[in-house]
Amino acid sequence: MADKILDCKGLSCPEPVLRTKMAINELEAGQILEMSATDSGSANDIAAWAKRTGNELLESSEADGVYTFTIKKG
Amino acid sequence: MSEETPKRIAIIAVHGSLDMAYPPLILASTAAAMEMEAGIFFTFYGLDIINKHKNKSLGVSPIANPAAPMPVPNIIGMLPGMTAVATGMMKNWMGKQNVASIESLLEMCRMGNVKLIGCQMTMDVMGVKESDLIEGVEVGGAATFLDYATDASIQLSF
C-alpha cells in the first residue's frame, strides 16, 4: 500500500518532521509515505507540516502511544 | 504548496549555552523542512554554536535558573564544577528523550540550506578566524543580516 515506510519511533521533535521531509523528497507526486512516531507532538506537527508543504495527510491515528501517519506526496 | 516566493524566517542566536543553542537550530531546520528559507545570525556568544572548537562542549549554567528540572540554590551553583554537573544532567535528560545533538542539528540545517551567518565583529573581538568555524558559514555584519531579515515574515531572537 505505502510506497515508503519511515520509522521515527523514539525520536524527539524536530526529527520526525525533518525525516518525513527527507523521505517525501525521495518519492514521486501521488506516492504514499507511511510514518510512525512516538513523539506525541508529531500529531499536530505533521499536520502543520503537511498543510505548509502541500502534501496531503490522508490518515493520522494513535494506538498504544504510536502515532501513524499516511501522507500522499503533493 | 510552492508559492512563487518562499516564506522566510530570520533568527538571531546571541547565547552560547547548550540550552540556548537548541531553539534556533530546531526552528531553522524545521523551517527548511517546511519549505521556508531560513537563516541564523550567530553573534556574540552565539558564535560558539558554529565554532568547531567549542560547539561540542557547550554548557549549561546552574546559576539563576529556577526553571531547571532540578533547581540548584545559587550558592551551591557557584561551587567549582557545578556547571559541568548541570551540563551533564541536561545532556542525560536530552539523551533519554533521544533529542538530536547540536552537531546533528547543524548538519540538518546545512542539508536544508539554512543560511548560517557568523558575525564578523564578534569574530574580530573574540579572535575567531573563519577557519575556526564549521563549514558552510557565511561571514557578515549587521547589514548582511538586516538585508536578509528585511524580506523575512518571521524574525526571532534567542
Side-chain angles (χ1 to χ4, degrees):
Chain A
M1 162 78 204
D3 297 286
K4 193 173 176 73
I5 306 273
L6 177 66
D7 183 0
C8 292
K9 291 196 286 288
L11 297 173
S12 284
C13 171
E15 283 200 82
V17 168
L18 301 186
R19 292 187 187 214
T20 298
K21 168 65 175 163
M22 286 190 257
I24 277 284
N25 283 351
E26 290 168 17
L27 296 179
E28 305 289 334
Q31 286 190 305
I32 306 286
L33 172 72
E34 191 183 295
M35 191 278 271
S36 52
T38 47
D39 169 26
S40 56
S42 60
N44 286 334
D45 279 359
I46 292 296
W49 169 83
K51 187 180 81 178
R52 285 285 164 191
T53 53
N55 297 293
E56 193 181 347
L57 182 56
L58 298 176
E59 210 184 314
S60 168
S61 62
E62 188 265 336
D64 298 327
V66 177
Y67 299 79
T68 307
F69 305 91
T70 310
I71 303 157
K72 183 171 155 190
K73 176 158 179 167
Chain B
M1 208 124 352
S2 310
E3 295 145 30
E4 303 84 54
T5 320
K7 295 245 187 287
R8 179 180 282 188
I9 175 168
I11 299 174
I12 308 178
V14 180
H15 298 285
S17 58
L18 183 62
D19 50 340
M20 292 303 283
Y22 271 101
L25 298 180
I26 289 174
L27 288 168
S29 57
T30 303
M34 293 176 84
E35 297 175 5
M36 301 172 68
E37 287 180 0
I40 311 174
F41 184 50
F42 297 91
T43 185
F44 286 82
Y45 304 114
L47 191 68
D48 281 7
I49 301 168
I50 51 169
N51 183 326
K52 63 186 175 194
H53 308 300
K54 293 189 165 180
N55 68 1
K56 290 174 199 70
S57 52
L58 300 178
V60 179
S61 171
I63 309 245
N65 186 5
M70 203 181 290
V72 176
N74 285 341
I75 192 98
I76 306 287
M78 285 166 68
L79 297 174
M82 284 307 289
T83 296
V85 169
T87 303
M89 281 164 84
M90 182 168 168
K91 284 189 170 168
N92 185 29
W93 291 320
M94 300 195 78
K96 278 186 187 148
Q97 285 301 312
N98 248 326
V99 178
S101 67
I102 293 298
E103 277 172 282
S104 82
L105 283 170
L106 279 169
E107 183 55 32
M108 290 186 253
C109 282
R110 278 183 298 201
M111 283 169 62
N113 291 321
V114 172
K115 194 182 185 70
L116 306 173
I117 309 168
C119 173
Q120 178 72 65
M121 184 272 275
T122 306
M123 291 169 67
D124 295 343
V125 169
M126 302 199 180
V128 176
K129 295 184 294 294
E130 206 164 337
S131 57
D132 296 325
L133 303 179
I134 60 169
E135 263 176 62
V137 171
E138 179 184 321
V139 172
T144 304
F145 175 74
L146 290 173
D147 177 46
Y148 184 84
T150 299
D151 297 323
S153 41
I154 304 172
Q155 296 101 356
L156 297 172
S157 178
F158 289 98

